[in-house]
């Protein structure tokens, strides 16, 4: 008797209901070969995550507070746990506050959203103050990563651009 664990990678084009077939053959010391087979139906679930970031203004001057809204959506059919969001503030932005237990360190704000079921969304907010002068455009990056029960982690990112007004 042979026992073991086997695994297989599933291509994204092979998602849905799948049939796993195993066939075995043995050669006894005497007599004919023996064979057997068995099948097991499994469901391969697609894991996908989306993040969308917006700012409440497109231009800000030194001392202006900018409020960002971040929407994280589990766009797949596989539940994700955990889901972690990381927002890297531009160097001339000073962190003020965030919702959903966001924690800031060195200009990077991190949220652990925990479990995000299929088709669920979370809306989180971040407030930062422009702390520099001069004209130009700064880009604020947000990244999200979700871990499905099986398979590779899924990621997405988005940016919001803020023009700095020279005053």
């Amino acid at each position: 008797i042979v026992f073991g664990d086997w695994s297989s990678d599933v291509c994204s084009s092979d998602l849905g209901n799948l049939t796993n077939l195993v066939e075995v053959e043995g050669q006894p010391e005497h007599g004919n070969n023996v064979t057997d087979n068995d099948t097991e139906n499994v469901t391969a679930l697609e894991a996908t995550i989306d993040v969308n970031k917006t700012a409440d203004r497109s231009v800000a001057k030194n001392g202006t507070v900018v409020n960002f809204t971040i929407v994280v959506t589990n766009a797949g059919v596989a539940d994700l746990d955990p889901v972690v969001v990381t927002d890297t503030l531009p160097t001339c932005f000073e962190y003020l506050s965030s919702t959903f237990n966001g924690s800031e360190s060195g200009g990077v704000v991190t949220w652990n959203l925990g479990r995000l079921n299929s088709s669920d969304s979370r809306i989180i907010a971040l407030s930062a103050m422009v702390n520099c002068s001069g004209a130009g455009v700064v880009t604020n990056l947000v990244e999200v990563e979700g871990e499905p029960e099986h398979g590779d982690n899924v990621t997405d990112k988005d940016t919001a651009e803020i023009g700095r007004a020279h005053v």
Side-chain angles (χ1 to χ4, degrees):
I1 297 177
V2 177
F3 292 98
D5 291 323
W6 290 269
S7 65
S8 176
D9 291 327
V10 176
C11 299
S12 61
S13 62
D14 294 333
L15 297 173
N17 294 322
L18 305 173
T19 300
N20 184 9
L21 168 67
V22 62
E23 296 177 328
V24 294
E25 182 175 350
Q27 183 176 6
E29 187 176 335
H30 302 288
N32 296 329
N33 288 353
V34 292
T35 62
D36 198 8
N37 64 61
D38 195 12
T39 60
E40 182 68 29
N41 293 322
V42 295
T43 302
L45 302 177
E46 179 182 21
T48 305
I49 195 163
D50 292 325
V51 65
N52 187 327
K53 180 174 194 167
T54 57
D56 68 344
R57 61 190 71 241
S58 59
V59 178
K61 63 181 181 178
N62 188 37
T64 301
V65 174
V66 180
N67 297 300
F68 298 97
T69 301
I70 301 165
V71 180
V72 179
T73 303
N74 181 345
V77 293
D79 296 340
L80 302 172
D81 189 11
V83 172
V84 177
V85 179
T86 305
D87 189 295
T88 305
L89 290 170
T91 55
C92 66
F93 274 60
E94 179 183 334
Y95 171 81
L96 297 176
S97 65
S98 56
T99 62
F100 215 97
N101 297 317
S103 63
E104 187 269 343
S105 177
V108 178
V109 185
T110 304
W111 294 265
N112 184 339
L113 303 181
R115 182 180 188 86
L116 196 58
N117 294 326
S118 173
S119 301
D120 282 354
S121 294
R122 296 277 191 286
I123 300 173
I124 53 181
L126 166 66
S127 295
M129 183 172 58
V130 178
N131 195 12
C132 58
S133 58
V137 176
V138 293
T139 301
N140 184 213
L141 171 69
V142 64
E143 298 174 283
V144 64
E145 181 172 13
E147 183 178 331
E149 182 179 356
H150 303 288
D152 296 332
N153 289 0
V154 291
T155 61
D156 195 23
K157 60 185 174 183
D158 196 18
T159 57
E161 291 188 344
I162 306 295
R164 290 190 333 253
H166 182 68
V167 177

